[in-house]
Amino acid sequence: MSLSEPNDRAAPGAPRRVRGGWSPEPRRTTEVEALIVDAHPAFRDGLRVALESAGIARVVGETCDGMSAVHLAAAVRPDVVLIDVTLDGGSGIDATRRMTSGPHAPRVLVISAVCDDDVVIGALRAGAKGFIDKAVSREELLHGIHLVVHGGAAFSPQVADRLPAYFSALQEVPGRVAFPELTDRETQILELLASGYDNRSISRRLVLAEKTIRNHITRIFTKLDAPDRMTAALRARNAGIGLERVS
Protein backbone atom coordinates (compact mmCIF):
# COMPACT_ATOMS: atom_id res chain seq x y z
CA MET A 1 0.00 0.00 0.00
CA SER A 2 1.29 3.45 -0.89
CA LEU A 3 0.06 6.23 1.36
CA SER A 4 1.96 9.05 -0.31
CA GLU A 5 5.28 9.86 -1.84
CA PRO A 6 8.16 10.10 0.68
CA ASN A 7 9.01 13.61 1.70
CA ASP A 8 12.56 14.20 2.85
CA ARG A 9 11.98 17.88 3.69
CA ALA A 10 10.62 18.61 7.11
CA ALA A 11 7.63 20.90 7.10
CA PRO A 12 7.68 23.99 9.30
CA GLY A 13 6.92 22.99 12.87
CA ALA A 14 7.44 19.26 12.17
CA PRO A 15 9.31 17.07 14.65
CA ARG A 16 13.05 17.00 14.05
CA ARG A 17 15.13 13.86 13.74
CA VAL A 18 17.41 12.98 16.63
CA ARG A 19 19.36 9.87 17.59
CA GLY A 20 16.94 7.00 18.07
CA GLY A 21 13.91 8.69 16.49
CA TRP A 22 12.15 12.04 16.46
CA SER A 23 12.13 14.61 19.21
CA PRO A 24 8.71 15.97 20.10
CA GLU A 25 7.33 19.43 19.64
CA PRO A 26 5.77 21.13 22.70
CA ARG A 27 2.70 19.10 23.62
CA ARG A 28 -0.74 20.43 22.64
CA THR A 29 -3.62 19.04 24.65
CA THR A 30 -6.28 19.80 22.02
CA GLU A 31 -5.09 17.25 19.45
CA VAL A 32 -4.68 13.50 19.27
CA GLU A 33 -0.96 12.73 19.23
CA ALA A 34 0.58 9.71 17.56
CA LEU A 35 3.88 7.82 17.62
CA ILE A 36 4.82 5.89 14.47
CA VAL A 37 7.10 2.86 14.81
CA ASP A 38 8.10 1.19 11.54
CA ALA A 39 11.36 0.05 9.96
CA HIS A 40 10.56 1.57 6.54
CA PRO A 41 11.16 5.34 6.18
CA ALA A 42 8.86 5.66 3.15
CA PHE A 43 5.96 4.08 5.03
CA ARG A 44 6.56 6.30 8.07
CA ASP A 45 6.63 9.40 5.85
CA GLY A 46 3.48 8.38 4.03
CA LEU A 47 1.60 7.52 7.19
CA ARG A 48 2.59 10.79 8.86
CA VAL A 49 1.43 12.84 5.88
CA ALA A 50 -1.83 10.85 5.63
CA LEU A 51 -2.63 11.21 9.32
CA GLU A 52 -1.97 14.92 9.47
CA SER A 53 -3.63 15.80 6.16
CA ALA A 54 -6.74 13.85 7.22
CA GLY A 55 -6.76 15.61 10.60
CA ILE A 56 -6.77 12.31 12.50
CA ALA A 57 -3.64 12.89 14.57
CA ARG A 58 -0.47 14.93 14.85
CA VAL A 59 2.70 12.82 14.77
CA VAL A 60 4.90 13.66 17.76
CA GLY A 61 7.41 10.84 17.48
CA GLU A 62 8.83 8.45 14.90
CA THR A 63 11.35 5.62 15.11
CA CYS A 64 12.34 2.32 13.48
CA ASP A 65 13.57 0.71 16.70
CA GLY A 66 11.60 -1.22 19.31
CA MET A 67 13.50 -0.04 22.37
CA SER A 68 13.52 3.55 21.12
CA ALA A 69 9.75 3.28 20.76
CA VAL A 70 9.38 2.34 24.42
CA HIS A 71 11.54 5.26 25.52
CA LEU A 72 9.82 7.73 23.18
CA ALA A 73 6.38 6.62 24.36
CA ALA A 74 7.42 7.24 27.95
CA ALA A 75 8.86 10.65 27.05
CA VAL A 76 6.13 12.10 24.81
CA ARG A 77 3.08 10.16 26.11
CA PRO A 78 1.27 9.79 22.78
CA ASP A 79 -2.43 9.00 22.68
CA VAL A 80 -1.89 6.27 20.11
CA VAL A 81 1.07 4.21 18.86
CA LEU A 82 1.07 2.79 15.32
CA ILE A 83 3.61 -0.03 15.23
CA ASP A 84 4.86 -2.84 13.01
CA VAL A 85 5.85 -6.23 14.46
CA THR A 86 9.15 -6.38 12.56
CA LEU A 87 11.49 -3.63 13.73
CA ASP A 88 15.15 -2.79 14.06
CA GLY A 89 16.38 -3.57 17.55
CA GLY A 90 13.56 -5.70 18.91
CA SER A 91 10.08 -7.05 18.34
CA GLY A 92 7.06 -4.79 17.93
CA ILE A 93 5.10 -7.21 20.09
CA ASP A 94 7.62 -6.87 22.90
CA ALA A 95 7.57 -3.07 22.55
CA THR A 96 3.75 -3.13 22.66
CA ARG A 97 3.80 -5.18 25.83
CA ARG A 98 6.18 -2.75 27.49
CA MET A 99 4.26 0.36 26.44
CA THR A 100 0.84 -0.94 27.47
CA SER A 101 1.99 -2.25 30.84
CA GLY A 102 3.41 1.06 32.08
CA PRO A 103 1.84 4.25 33.36
CA HIS A 104 0.12 6.55 30.83
CA ALA A 105 -0.30 3.56 28.49
CA PRO A 106 -1.18 4.61 24.94
CA ARG A 107 -3.63 2.79 22.69
CA VAL A 108 -1.58 0.61 20.34
CA LEU A 109 -2.56 -0.39 16.81
CA VAL A 110 -0.36 -2.89 14.97
CA ILE A 111 0.03 -2.22 11.24
CA SER A 112 2.00 -5.03 9.61
CA ALA A 113 2.43 -7.14 6.50
CA VAL A 114 3.03 -10.15 8.78
CA CYS A 115 -0.44 -11.44 9.76
CA ASP A 116 0.25 -15.02 10.86
CA ASP A 117 -2.09 -16.29 13.57
CA ASP A 118 0.65 -16.50 16.21
CA VAL A 119 1.73 -12.92 15.49
CA VAL A 120 -1.81 -11.53 15.71
CA ILE A 121 -2.53 -13.40 18.94
CA GLY A 122 0.79 -12.29 20.39
CA ALA A 123 -0.01 -8.67 19.59
CA LEU A 124 -3.45 -8.89 21.20
CA ARG A 125 -2.03 -10.61 24.25
CA ALA A 126 0.55 -7.81 24.49
CA GLY A 127 -2.21 -5.22 24.68
CA ALA A 128 -2.78 -4.06 21.08
CA LYS A 129 -6.25 -2.65 20.35
CA GLY A 130 -6.24 -3.85 16.78
CA PHE A 131 -4.26 -5.37 13.93
CA ILE A 132 -4.33 -4.09 10.35
CA ASP A 133 -2.67 -5.62 7.31
CA LYS A 134 -0.47 -3.14 5.42
CA ALA A 135 -2.13 -4.34 2.20
CA VAL A 136 -5.42 -2.55 2.97
CA SER A 137 -6.32 0.64 1.15
CA ARG A 138 -5.36 4.06 2.45
CA GLU A 139 -8.99 4.78 3.32
CA GLU A 140 -9.38 1.51 5.25
CA LEU A 141 -6.17 2.14 7.14
CA LEU A 142 -7.12 5.68 8.13
CA HIS A 143 -10.59 4.51 9.17
CA GLY A 144 -9.04 1.83 11.39
CA ILE A 145 -6.68 4.33 12.99
CA HIS A 146 -9.61 6.70 13.58
CA LEU A 147 -11.51 3.91 15.38
CA VAL A 148 -8.60 3.09 17.69
CA VAL A 149 -7.84 6.76 18.38
CA HIS A 150 -11.42 7.19 19.60
CA GLY A 151 -11.51 4.16 21.87
CA GLY A 152 -12.52 1.37 19.51
CA ALA A 153 -10.75 -1.64 18.01
CA ALA A 154 -9.83 -2.18 14.38
CA PHE A 155 -8.98 -5.26 12.34
CA SER A 156 -8.44 -5.68 8.62
CA PRO A 157 -10.89 -8.11 6.95
CA GLN A 158 -8.62 -11.17 6.87
CA VAL A 159 -7.77 -10.67 10.55
CA ALA A 160 -11.41 -10.02 11.53
CA ASP A 161 -12.46 -13.31 9.94
CA ARG A 162 -10.21 -15.14 12.41
CA LEU A 163 -11.22 -13.22 15.56
CA PRO A 164 -13.21 -16.06 17.18
CA ALA A 165 -10.17 -18.33 16.91
CA TYR A 166 -7.87 -15.60 18.22
CA PHE A 167 -9.99 -14.86 21.28
CA SER A 168 -10.28 -18.58 21.99
CA ALA A 169 -6.49 -18.86 21.88
CA LEU A 170 -6.14 -15.89 24.24
CA GLN A 171 -7.85 -17.94 26.94
CA GLU A 172 -5.01 -20.43 26.80
CA VAL A 173 -1.51 -20.01 28.19
CA PRO A 174 0.63 -20.74 25.13
CA GLY A 175 4.23 -19.59 25.38
CA ARG A 176 4.64 -19.46 21.62
CA VAL A 177 1.74 -17.00 21.47
CA ALA A 178 2.98 -14.80 24.31
CA PHE A 179 6.53 -14.69 22.90
CA PRO A 180 6.33 -15.45 19.16
CA GLU A 181 9.95 -14.37 18.68
CA LEU A 182 11.10 -17.50 20.56
CA THR A 183 11.53 -20.92 18.98
CA ASP A 184 9.54 -23.86 20.41
CA ARG A 185 12.64 -25.09 22.26
CA GLU A 186 13.37 -21.63 23.69
CA THR A 187 9.75 -21.33 24.85
CA GLN A 188 10.01 -24.72 26.53
CA ILE A 189 13.18 -23.67 28.33
CA LEU A 190 11.71 -20.30 29.33
CA GLU A 191 8.71 -22.08 30.88
CA LEU A 192 11.00 -24.31 32.95
CA LEU A 193 13.19 -21.34 33.92
CA ALA A 194 10.11 -19.41 35.04
CA SER A 195 8.96 -22.44 37.02
CA GLY A 196 12.13 -22.29 39.12
CA TYR A 197 14.39 -24.86 37.48
CA ASP A 198 18.13 -24.27 37.34
CA ASN A 199 20.20 -25.07 34.25
CA ARG A 200 21.18 -28.54 35.46
CA SER A 201 17.56 -29.48 36.15
CA ILE A 202 16.44 -28.16 32.76
CA SER A 203 19.26 -30.12 31.14
CA ARG A 204 18.10 -33.35 32.78
CA ARG A 205 14.43 -32.84 31.96
CA LEU A 206 15.08 -32.08 28.28
CA VAL A 207 17.99 -34.52 27.92
CA LEU A 208 20.24 -31.80 26.55
CA ALA A 209 23.79 -30.80 27.45
CA GLU A 210 23.99 -28.09 30.09
CA LYS A 211 26.11 -26.00 27.70
CA THR A 212 23.29 -26.20 25.13
CA ILE A 213 20.81 -24.98 27.76
CA ARG A 214 23.09 -22.04 28.59
CA ASN A 215 23.29 -21.11 24.91
CA HIS A 216 19.51 -21.25 24.57
CA ILE A 217 19.05 -19.09 27.67
CA THR A 218 21.49 -16.51 26.32
CA ARG A 219 19.43 -16.27 23.13
CA ILE A 220 16.23 -16.01 25.19
CA PHE A 221 17.70 -13.08 27.15
CA THR A 222 18.67 -11.36 23.89
CA LYS A 223 15.27 -11.83 22.23
CA LEU A 224 13.34 -10.71 25.32
CA ASP A 225 15.81 -7.91 26.07
CA ALA A 226 16.10 -9.36 29.57
CA PRO A 227 19.32 -8.55 31.44
CA ASP A 228 19.12 -11.54 33.77
CA ARG A 229 17.31 -14.73 34.73
CA MET A 230 14.95 -13.04 37.19
CA THR A 231 13.75 -10.50 34.63
CA ALA A 232 13.08 -13.23 32.06
CA ALA A 233 11.20 -15.29 34.64
CA LEU A 234 9.06 -12.32 35.72
CA ARG A 235 8.15 -11.50 32.15
CA ALA A 236 7.21 -15.12 31.52
CA ARG A 237 5.05 -15.26 34.65
CA ASN A 238 3.33 -11.99 33.72
CA ALA A 239 2.37 -13.69 30.46
CA GLY A 240 0.96 -16.69 32.34
CA ILE A 241 3.92 -19.00 31.76
CA GLY A 242 5.57 -21.07 34.47
CA LEU A 243 3.20 -20.12 37.27
CA GLU A 244 3.46 -23.51 38.92
CA ARG A 245 6.46 -25.73 39.45
CA VAL A 246 5.96 -28.88 37.40
CA SER A 247 6.68 -32.17 39.10
Side-chain angles (χ1 to χ4, degrees):
M1 178 193 62
S2 176
L3 293 169
S4 74
E5 292 299 320
N7 181 6
D8 295 330
R9 306 180 88 186
R16 57 187 179 82
R17 189 178 295 278
V18 295
R19 185 178 63 181
W22 291 92
S23 66
E25 292 182 273
R27 184 175 178 85
R28 300 180 202 165
T29 58
T30 58
E31 295 181 348
V32 172
E33 299 185 334
L35 170 63
I36 299 176
V37 188
D38 194 283
H40 301 95
F43 185 83
R44 294 198 308 270
D45 285 346
L47 183 55
R48 171 166 41 82
V49 170
L51 284 173
E52 296 184 344
S53 63
I56 293 175
R58 184 173 66 95
V59 176
V60 295
E62 182 181 323
T63 182
C64 62
D65 180 271
M67 285 308 300
S68 293
V70 175
H71 296 315
L72 275 172
V76 305
R77 297 183 185 178
D79 301 296
V80 63
V81 176
L82 310 172
I83 190 170
D84 196 352
V85 295
T86 305
L87 302 171
D88 300 335
S91 156
I93 292 176
D94 184 45
T96 296
R97 184 182 300 111
R98 290 169 179 266
M99 288 186 285
T100 58
S101 63
H104 311 291
R107 299 184 66 80
V108 177
L109 174 62
V110 175
I111 305 171
S112 181
V114 181
C115 300
D116 297 342
D117 285 1
D118 286 352
V119 173
V120 176
I121 296 169
L124 296 178
R125 180 176 286 276
K129 301 301 182 184
F131 198 110
I132 295 182
D133 187 344
K134 280 186 175 180
V136 301
S137 69
R138 178 182 185 274
E139 290 71 23
E140 289 175 308
L141 177 56
L142 291 178
H143 178 64
I145 296 170
H146 176 81
L147 288 175
V148 171
V149 161
H150 293 282
F155 300 91
S156 51
Q158 73 176 80
V159 176
D161 289 344
R162 295 281 296 153
L163 282 180
Y166 295 150
F167 288 128
S168 175
L170 287 172
Q171 303 305 314
E172 304 170 1
V173 188
R176 69 189 186 93
V177 167
F179 300 105
E181 59 266 46
L182 301 183
T183 66
D184 288 345
R185 176 65 81 185
E186 289 165 350
T187 298
Q188 188 179 28
I189 291 172
L190 176 62
E191 183 170 3
L192 291 171
L193 183 155
S195 297
Y197 287 90
D198 60 21
N199 288 4
R200 179 173 296 182
S201 298
I202 296 174
S203 170
R204 289 174 178 171
R205 287 186 66 88
L206 300 183
V207 195
L208 293 171
E210 197 168 338
K211 180 179 179 181
T212 300
I213 299 300
R214 288 197 301 270
N215 290 338
H216 276 301
I217 289 176
T218 297
R219 286 193 289 272
I220 290 169
F221 288 174
T222 299
K223 290 182 178 181
L224 300 189
D225 191 33
D228 52 42
R229 197 181 191 92
M230 180 177 293
T231 302
L234 286 173
R235 291 197 52 207
R237 289 170 185 164
N238 287 339
I241 299 172
L243 296 178
E244 297 181 6
R245 171 89 180 229
V246 291
S247 58

